[in-house]
Amino acid sequence: MLIQFGQALSAYFYEVFVAKFDFWLAFGLIAQLFFTARFLVQWISSERAGQSVVPMAFWFFSMGGGLMTLIYGFAKREPVIIIGQGLATLIYIRNIMLIVKNRGKASKTLDS
């Protein structure tokens, strides 16, 4: 039973990541990596500051990864991704607009 499960799992991963590999899978994986980078940027910035901070780069990675994932959702016709990333991307853009608008004032966002 355990061997059959291992074989089925292996066949699944082969089909998903190898047999179906195309431009859109590569694009989607890059989008996900770009989106995930924002958490690394935020974590490193917070560690350096000794407190929780959200650097401007976090919002740019959010917007870039969100837009790429949205494009992927449209290409793959995935309504859950389209709705989720469509709304989230609007929030990322709005946050960037607010940061730029209040640049001269005290902000909770680090510029580095």
Side-chain angles (χ1 to χ4, degrees):
M1 179 167 165
L2 204 51
I3 292 172
Q4 289 174 332
F5 176 73
Q7 290 172 337
L9 190 61
S10 175
Y12 172 81
F13 282 119
Y14 177 82
E15 180 184 342
V16 170
F17 290 103
V18 178
K20 292 186 176 183
F21 191 84
D22 63 359
F23 170 80
W24 287 112
L25 177 59
F27 185 88
L29 290 172
I30 292 168
Q32 189 60 46
L33 288 172
F34 197 77
F35 195 70
T36 301
R38 71 195 189 126
F39 292 114
L40 295 173
V41 167
Q42 194 273 332
W43 178 35
I44 291 167
S45 295
S46 293
E47 288 294 335
R48 286 182 180 166
Q51 63 182 359
S52 182
V53 295
V54 181
M56 185 69 161
F58 176 89
W59 296 112
F60 282 113
F61 275 112
S62 297
M63 185 180 65
L67 283 172
M68 289 177 71
T69 305
L70 181 60
I71 291 166
Y72 176 82
F74 277 116
K76 290 303 208 172
R77 300 174 186 259
E78 294 282 348
V80 173
I81 293 175
I82 293 168
I83 292 168
Q85 288 304 318
L87 295 174
T89 301
L90 292 174
I91 294 168
Y92 306 145
I93 291 169
R94 180 62 181 150
N95 272 289
I96 291 170
M97 290 170 60
L98 289 170
I99 291 166
V100 169
K101 175 183 170 189
N102 296 310
R103 195 151 220 139
K105 302 173 186 170
S107 175
K108 299 207 184 312
T109 300
L110 291 181
D111 291 326
S112 57

